[in-house]
Amino acid sequence: MENESKRCMWHNCSFVALSTEDNNANLVEHVKTKHIQSQKYSKSKFRCHWSTCKNYNVPSSSYNWLERHVIDHIEKHPFFCIIN
């Protein structure tokens, strides 16, 4: 498992998960509690504010989409889809 720090890329966030074996889990927990859950009871649309996201600030009507989408920013996927 990688042993490097992971930085939260959410707009204006300075959180860094320290170099531990669980740094991915720490970053996921931070993002869920600080950025995703804060939108759960919002009356407006759900928005991703991950700085490198192609859907940055694009409204979505699904909280579940936001939750899965942002976690995908953190998790590394070793396999790429071969279907266009």
Side-chain angles (χ1 to χ4, degrees), residues 6 10 13 18 39 43-44 50 52 54 56 62 76 78:
K6 302 268 185 166
W10 201 264
C13 184
L18 300 177
Q39 295 187 45
K43 293 184 179 179
S44 61
W50 200 260
T52 58
K54 66 180 181 176
Y56 184 88
S62 172
K76 290 188 177 179

Side-chain angles (χ1 to χ4, degrees), residues 34-45:
K34 297 294 182 186
H35 304 305
I36 297 173
Q37 287 178 357
S38 65
Q39 295 187 45
K40 188 169 188 171
Y41 301 106
S42 172
K43 293 184 179 179
S44 61
K45 303 283 185 178

Side-chain angles (χ1 to χ4, degrees), residues 4-61:
E4 61 184 38
S5 357
K6 302 268 185 166
R7 185 168 108 62
C8 179
M9 300 294 291
W10 201 264
H11 180 70
N12 286 337
C13 184
S14 59
F15 178 84
V16 175
L18 300 177
S19 289
T20 68
E21 287 187 15
D22 295 326
N23 61 3
N24 242 21
N26 293 337
L27 182 56
V28 167
E29 183 64 26
H30 161 77
V31 170
K32 280 185 175 182
T33 58
K34 297 294 182 186
H35 304 305
I36 297 173
Q37 287 178 357
S38 65
Q39 295 187 45
K40 188 169 188 171
Y41 301 106
S42 172
K43 293 184 179 179
S44 61
K45 303 283 185 178
F46 305 104
R47 299 170 189 267
C48 176
H49 291 148
W50 200 260
S51 63
T52 58
C53 182
K54 66 180 181 176
N55 293 315
Y56 184 88
N57 205 30
V58 174
S60 170
S61 59

Side-chain angles (χ1 to χ4, degrees), residues 60-75:
S60 170
S61 59
S62 172
Y63 174 80
N64 291 330
W65 169 84
L66 177 65
E67 193 170 40
R68 286 187 315 270
H69 171 79
V70 174
I71 298 310
D72 281 345
H73 286 309
I74 298 166
E75 300 291 325

